[in-house]
Amino acid sequence: MIPSSPAAPPRLGRRRRLELPPPLAADAGYDAVALPERQGRQVMELLPRAGCVYSASGRWWWIVPPRSDSGLNWPQIAEYSVGAVLTGAPERNAAAEGPRLIHRPEGTVPYTHPLVLHIAVCAVAGVSPSWPD
């Protein structure tokens, strides 16, 4: 009889942080807001200006100032990431490596304005912008 071995621990998703391209910097830090790619394309068309935007695992990620979740109720289609740290299933092939920068701002500010982004996300989601009481 072969002795049973303990079950292997579940494989946890890989954690990685969205890194700003040089020479852009955010000394105060930054967070990120994600949407599925289809809605992300729609939001980009509504924004007058966008900061850094990344594509990763079928989602588009906007860099926003830290604590941009404070005072805003992001619609359910949005995912908010403190510190712009992404987690997900382990990558299985080279083509699905890390996040890819798909939009770089013209200036030196890496952020998308969170209120403008919030309103655009709400418009695409078909909900009215709302703020906590």
Side-chain angles (χ1 to χ4, degrees):
M1 177 176 217
I2 300 172
S4 63
S5 59
R11 291 183 70 186
L12 298 176
R14 192 166 85 156
R15 292 175 53 92
R16 58 190 176 241
R17 185 170 196 236
L18 294 173
E19 298 295 333
L20 298 179
L24 299 179
D27 295 335
Y30 55 94
D31 293 344
V33 175
L35 295 172
E37 182 179 349
R38 187 169 129 281
Q39 285 88 355
R41 289 181 188 280
Q42 295 171 317
V43 165
M44 279 297 277
E45 292 175 7
L46 297 175
L47 294 174
R49 181 204 172 279
C52 292
V53 182
Y54 295 83
S55 175
S57 302
R59 299 178 73 71
W60 282 17
W61 295 86
W62 281 262
I63 298 297
V64 294
R67 296 172 298 285
S68 292
D69 59 336
S70 179
L72 295 176
N73 289 329
W74 290 95
Q76 287 185 334
I77 65 167
E79 178 182 342
Y80 193 89
S81 174
V82 174
V85 175
L86 313 184
T87 58
E91 303 297 345
R92 300 211 184 275
N93 61 43
E97 278 184 20
R100 181 175 53 92
L101 183 67
I102 59 173
H103 183 270
R104 182 185 183 120
E106 291 182 21
T108 59
V109 178
Y111 306 120
T112 298
H113 193 288
L115 289 176
V116 175
L117 179 60
H118 180 260
I119 291 168
V121 170
C122 288
V124 168
V127 299
S128 295
S130 67
W131 292 264
D133 293 331

